[in-house]
Amino acid sequence: MHYNFFIVNKIGLLIYERKFPGCAQLDSSDLIRFGATLSALHLLSAVVTPSGLKKSGLKMISSKFFKLCCFQSPTGVKFCLVSDPNTTDMEKMCKKAYQYYSDYVLKNPFYELDQQIRFEGFDREIEKLFAIKQ
């Protein structure tokens, strides 16, 4: 079961958020804090990685209540999925969302980089990817 899906731009601003049935209700202040905190954690995790290991940043946070997966694109945009702790293939799903982002958002001539994402085609693909029932 998935709880939330977020896209955070390279400067830490939340540019897309999708709630799934049964997820926690986050207000706009929570969403702003989430984007900023996630970006800071991603950066800090790369900094504290011991020398000799790949400094890729935050990839997964696991607890007994949830699992958060973060996939960072080559341009620094982060795709984050919060799911049930037993969920598998989260990184694969984030990478697929990145593919949809590339196809439906970045190729859209009306999209301005780092702005909120509001495109029906992208929403439809995200709904199918995460099997969201409206």
Side-chain angles (χ1 to χ4, degrees), residues 1-2 60 67 69 81 83-94 130:
M1 170 191 293
H2 306 296
M60 184 80 64
K67 194 186 296 185
C69 177
L81 179 61
S83 297
D84 181 85
N86 300 317
T87 305
T88 59
D89 292 333
M90 291 174 67
E91 185 175 7
K92 182 178 174 184
M93 295 177 103
C94 287
F130 297 113

Side-chain angles (χ1 to χ4, degrees), residues 60-79:
M60 184 80 64
I61 296 175
S62 295
S63 78
K64 67 180 185 177
F65 302 108
F66 72 91
K67 194 186 296 185
L68 181 143
C69 177
C70 181
F71 167 72
Q72 180 172 294
S73 73
T75 59
V77 176
K78 294 163 199 65
F79 296 79

Side-chain angles (χ1 to χ4, degrees), residues 106-121:
L106 295 180
K107 292 178 183 176
N108 189 316
F110 300 107
Y111 180 67
E112 293 182 38
L113 280 178
D114 296 328
Q115 297 302 308
Q116 292 292 314
I117 299 169
R118 293 187 179 104
F119 297 114
E120 286 182 29

Side-chain angles (χ1 to χ4, degrees), residues 39-58:
S39 289
L41 282 173
H42 196 277
L43 180 63
L44 286 172
S45 65
V47 170
V48 300
T49 300
S51 60
L53 297 176
K54 184 179 178 189
K55 296 183 181 285
S56 61
L58 176 70

